[in-house]
C-alpha cells in the first residue's frame, strides 16, 4: 500500500514542484515504486518531468471530472517514476468540482485503485487553498511542507498548520504533518538561520535534518525536462534530495 504525501504550501515559490520532481526521482533511484501526481494547473511538475502538457493527452483533470480512469493517464518518465500529468484544463476543475458529488474526495477515490502498485505517491499541489489542494489533503496520509526560512514564510506556515488541523477534524482524520523541508537555504543569511532555529524549536523532529541549498542546477534542470539527478547528479541540489529520500526511508523503516 502506497504512502501518499501531499507536497504543499499556500505560499508560492518555495520549491514545492522542485521537491516533488526531485524527491520522486531520488526515491525511484532507491528502487521504490513512485508516482508523482501533478494537480497544479500550471503543469510545472509535468513539464519538469519531460512530459508535454498540451495536446490530446488525458490528464488528472479528466480523472477528477470522472471522464477517465487514473490508469489511463499514467506516463513513465525517464527518471524512473510514473507521472500523472496536468495542464491548464485543471484551472476549470476548481469551478466544475463545486457541482459534483463527493467533490473533496475525488482524488482519494482515484488513488485508491492504484495504491497497491506503488510504494510512494507524491502529490504536487497548487500554491493556494482551493478544492484541488483540499483533494490532495483528503487523499494524503501526510503533508510534506517545503518552505524558505524567511519572515513571511512563518506566517504562511501558521495558516497551513491551521488548514491541516481543520481537514483532519472534518475530512481526513489520519492526516498529519510528515515533515518540514527547508529549501533555497543560504547558510550565510542570518535571518535564515534564525528562522531555521525557530522551526526546530516549535516543530522538533518534524523538521528534516536535510536542508536543500540554493543551487543553480536545481533551477536549470526543469527547463531541460529533467530532475537534477539526471541533469547533474553530482550537484549539491541533487545530492540534497538524495539525502532527503534516505531520511524519509529511514523514518518509515523506524516507524
Amino acid at each position: 500500500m502506497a504512502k501518499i504525501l501531499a507536497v504543499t504550501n499556500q505560499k508560492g515559490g518555495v520549491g514545492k514542484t522542485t521537491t516533488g520532481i526531485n524527491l520522486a526521482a531520488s526515491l525511484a533511484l532507491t528502487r521504490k515504486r513512485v508516482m508523482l501526481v501533478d494537480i497544479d494547473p500550471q503543469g510545472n511538475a509535468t513539464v519538469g518531468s519531460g512530459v508535454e502538457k498540451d495536446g490530446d493527452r488525458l490528464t488528472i483533470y479528466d480523472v477528477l471530472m470522472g471522464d477517465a480512469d487514473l490508469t489511463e493517464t499514467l506516463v513513465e518518465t525517464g527518471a524512473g517514476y510514473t507521472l500523472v500529468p496536468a495542464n491548464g484544463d485543471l484551472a476549470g476543475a476548481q469551478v466544475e468540482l463545486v457541482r459534483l458529488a463527493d467533490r473533496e474526495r475525488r482524488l482519494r477515490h482515484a488513488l485508491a485503485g492504484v495504491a497497491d502498485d506503488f510504494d510512494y505517491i507524491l502529490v504536487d499541489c497548487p500554491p493556494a487553498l482551493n478544492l484541488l489542494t483540499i483533494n490532495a489533503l483528503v487523499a494524503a496520509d501526510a503533508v510534506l511542507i517545503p518552505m524558505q526560512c524567511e519572515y513571511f514564510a512563518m506566517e504562511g506556515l501558521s495558516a497551513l498548520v491551521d488548514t491541516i488541523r481543520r481537514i483532519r477534524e472534518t475530512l481526513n482524520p489520519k492526516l498529519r504533518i510528515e515533515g518540514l523541508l527547508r529549501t533555497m537555504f543560504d547558510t550565510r543569511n542570518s535571518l535564515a538561520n534564525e528562522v531555521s532555529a525557530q522551526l526546530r524549536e516549535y516543530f522538533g523532529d518534524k523538521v528534516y535534518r536535510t536542508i536543500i541549498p540554493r543551487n543553480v542546477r536545481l533551477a536549470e534542470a526543469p527547463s531541460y525536462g529533467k530532475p537534477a539527478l539526471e541533469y547533474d547528479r553530482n550537484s549539491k541540489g541533487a545530492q540534497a534530495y538524495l539525502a532527503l529520500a534516505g531520511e524519509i526511508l529511514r523514518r518509515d523503516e523506524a516507524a
Side-chain angles (χ1 to χ4, degrees), residues 4 10 15 36 100 105 107 166 189 201 203 207 221 232 249:
I4 304 173
Q10 290 163 233
L36 175 61
L100 298 179
R105 296 179 174 87
L107 180 62
R166 285 187 280 119
N189 186 317
E201 179 181 350
F203 291 95
V207 181
D232 185 352
L249 292 173

Side-chain angles (χ1 to χ4, degrees), residues 12-111:
V14 297
K16 289 188 301 298
T17 299
T18 297
T19 296
I21 292 171
N22 287 285
L23 179 57
S26 297
L27 288 169
L29 193 64
T30 69
R31 299 187 182 279
K32 295 298 181 182
R33 300 168 301 165
V34 184
M35 181 165 72
L36 175 61
V37 183
D38 188 354
I39 61 163
D40 187 341
Q42 297 178 86
N44 289 337
T46 299
V47 175
S49 298
V51 176
E52 179 61 49
K53 66 178 181 178
D54 298 319
D56 297 328
R57 184 188 303 278
L58 291 171
T59 69
I60 191 63
Y61 168 80
D62 301 290
V63 176
L64 294 176
M65 292 299 104
D67 296 327
D69 188 82
L70 188 73
T71 56
E72 299 177 80
T73 70
L74 303 183
V75 180
E76 298 302 324
T77 70
Y81 60 87
T82 302
L83 175 76
V84 179
N87 59 24
D89 291 344
L90 199 54
Q94 299 176 53
V95 176
E96 295 172 59
L97 279 170
V98 173
R99 60 179 172 80
L100 298 179
D102 220 14
R103 57 184 178 268
E104 301 96 346
R105 296 179 174 87
R106 296 182 80 84
L107 180 62
R108 180 176 182 173
H109 295 327
L111 295 180

